[in-house]
Amino acid sequence: MKKIFSFLCLLFLSLSLASCENDSQKEYTIRFNSAGGSYVALQNVLNGELATKPEDPTRSGFIFEGWFWNDEEFDFTKKITSDVQLVAKWTKNTSALTGYYASMEGHLDETFKTSLHKLLKETHTTKRSYSQLWEDLASLDQDPNNSENILCIYTGRSIPIANRDKGTARNNIWNREHSWPNSHGFSSQDYYAYTDLHHLFASEKNINATRGNKDFNKVTNGNHDEYGNKWDNTYFEPRDEVKGDLARAMFYLVVRYDDPNELDLELSETSTGSSSNKTGKLGILSVLLEWNILDPVSEEEKLRNEKAFAIQGNRNPFVDYPEWVSYLYSQA
């Protein structure tokens, strides 16, 4: 009887130790709902470990107060024993927007798009000619390591500025890429959008032709190149390094050209095609919203925005305030 009792005790102890070991290896998920602020990645934390307090999110016009769980501020020194959903708490920032965006004060609400359109249109004081774009893009997309070269938006390749496209078929030449294809609403050079620097980029000729007038989207089965670009017959997915740049250029266009009497551009959730002048659509909206988060604004993108501002008079607000996309699209 004693042997049986000892065996049962050992078995119970063994099972208890195994259960404790399994509990210690159990993993929980900490999710951060930024409530309109910038994206914060989730964390996976082992049972009994601590979550890492992330960098504070940002939200234009608001001050971040902290992360809350069940209406109480979360204690990051508390050990994790379950899945946790944290929500950001914000208070309105009473300090006014100044400078270029002063007129947007009080309009980070349902009047956002109309007010921002007015600002972007009124400050778009210089319309460039198509031939002037060669000089403009040579400056905006200049290779920082070689002032005699430009960097291709899609491949990142450094190409001599002198190698402008003159209709030849040879390699290593560049041309002027409409990231929003001009066949989607503004085929004539009379339109401001045709030479708007906030969506015109220097691009190697062959990859430019490959992109054509395809919508932006994720491509899972198709062709690809060594630079990370992917494409099929309908969609084009650029390399990771410029996904956000291109998304923010598209958001700019939707606001800047929001006038059916001039030009009305909209992003679509379905594939699009060429359209008549004055109206144009391009996809895919949900993917572009995702790219805006996955590829944050870089210093190079900020510098480009400054250069375009100096030339044509207006700015891309989604480079200055990438979180403003949430005022444009609620699903952001």
Side-chain angles (χ1 to χ4, degrees):
M1 181 64 71
K2 291 183 178 179
K3 291 183 178 180
I4 294 175
F5 179 75
S6 298
F7 172 76
L8 291 175
C9 288
L10 289 172
L11 179 61
F12 177 77
L13 179 60
S14 177
L15 291 173
S16 298
L17 291 173
S19 177
C20 291
E21 183 177 350
N22 289 335
D23 286 344
S24 67
Q25 293 177 346
K26 190 169 184 178
E27 194 172 68
Y28 295 107
T29 300
I30 315 300
R31 299 184 185 277
F32 298 88
N33 179 356
S34 60
S38 55
Y39 173 74
V40 178
L42 60 79
Q43 296 180 23
N44 292 315
V45 180
L46 290 175
N47 181 52
E49 298 293 329
L50 302 179
T52 301
K53 186 176 182 180
E55 183 177 345
D56 291 350
T58 58
R59 181 181 176 188
S60 181
F62 291 83
I63 298 173
F64 177 70
E65 294 294 337
W67 293 106
F68 282 73
W69 187 34
N70 297 330
D71 297 324
E72 293 186 2
E73 187 166 8
F74 183 72
D75 182 1
F76 281 91
T77 65
K78 182 178 179 180
K79 293 181 179 180
I80 300 299
T81 57
S82 66
D83 292 331
V84 177
Q85 172 83 18
L86 299 181
V87 179
K89 182 177 178 181
W90 303 93
T91 56
K92 188 74 175 178
N93 189 350
T94 57
S95 61
L97 289 166
T98 58
Y100 181 82
Y101 295 105
S103 65
M104 289 301 295
E105 177 64 20
H107 293 288
L108 301 182
D109 51 24
E110 66 277 1
T111 65
F112 173 77
K113 188 177 183 182
T114 301
S115 302
L116 189 55
H117 164 74
K118 184 174 184 290
L119 172 64
L120 298 182
K121 183 176 180 178
E122 289 181 349
T123 56
H124 193 166
T125 53
T126 301
K127 181 180 183 295
R128 305 299 283 171
S129 70
Y130 197 50
S131 61
Q132 286 176 316
L133 291 181
W134 291 117
E135 179 182 349
D136 295 339
L137 295 180
S139 172
L140 268 65
D141 298 323
Q142 184 182 66
D143 183 346
N145 298 314
N146 185 345
S147 62
E148 300 299 318
N149 286 17
I150 57 88
L151 293 179
C152 168
I153 180 67
Y154 294 130
T155 67
R157 283 173 49 190
S158 183
I159 302 172
I161 292 173
N163 289 11
R164 295 177 178 177
D165 183 9
K166 298 178 181 179
T168 56
R170 64 190 178 89
N171 294 323
N172 204 39
I173 59 177
W174 66 281
N175 53 22
R176 300 155 291 186
E177 159 70 334
H178 292 89
S179 58
W180 186 298
N182 58 285
S183 61
H184 290 233
F186 48 95
S187 60
S188 167
Q189 295 184 33
D190 293 335
Y191 288 86
Y192 271 67
Y194 199 96
T195 56
D196 193 321
L197 292 171
H198 289 297
H199 86 109
L200 268 292
F201 296 92
S203 173
E204 190 274 328
K205 183 176 182 178
N206 292 324
I207 192 63
N208 192 351
T210 296
R211 190 284 166 99
N213 65 353
K214 296 180 177 68
D215 292 300
F216 290 118
N217 196 6
K218 299 175 184 177
V219 176
T220 54
N221 295 309
N223 301 300
H224 66 276
D225 62 19
E226 61 185 295
Y227 306 103
N229 300 295
K230 304 172 186 177
W231 62 91
D232 56 24
N233 292 331
T234 307
Y235 299 116
F236 182 84
E237 179 179 353
R239 62 193 178 106
D240 291 345
E241 294 83 353
V242 295
K243 281 184 166 74
D245 306 54
L246 292 165
R248 287 179 281 275
M250 301 304 100
F251 302 148
Y252 160 85
L253 289 168
V254 165
V255 178
R256 168 61 183 89
Y257 302 100
D258 185 38
D259 183 352
N261 295 316
E262 177 194 7
L263 175 61
D264 188 12
L265 301 180
E266 296 294 341
L267 289 170
S268 169
E269 199 53 44
T270 58
S271 61
T272 68
S274 298
S275 60
S276 60
N277 285 336
K278 287 196 174 183
T279 60
K281 292 186 177 182
L282 192 71
I284 298 292
L285 172 58
S286 59
V287 173
L288 292 167
L289 291 173
E290 181 179 342
W291 290 354
N292 180 51
I293 294 172
L294 295 178
D295 176 30
V297 176
S298 64
E299 291 304 314
E300 292 79 11
E301 194 177 354
K302 292 178 183 178
L303 177 59
R304 193 182 201 278
N305 194 27
E306 293 295 340
K307 290 181 177 180
F309 171 53
I311 294 172
Q312 69 179 36
N314 67 354
R315 305 180 65 83
N316 183 341
F318 301 103
V319 174
D320 295 322
Y321 296 102
E323 67 274 16
W324 276 12
V325 71
S326 64
Y327 298 114
L328 185 60
Y329 299 107
S330 59
Q331 64 268 43

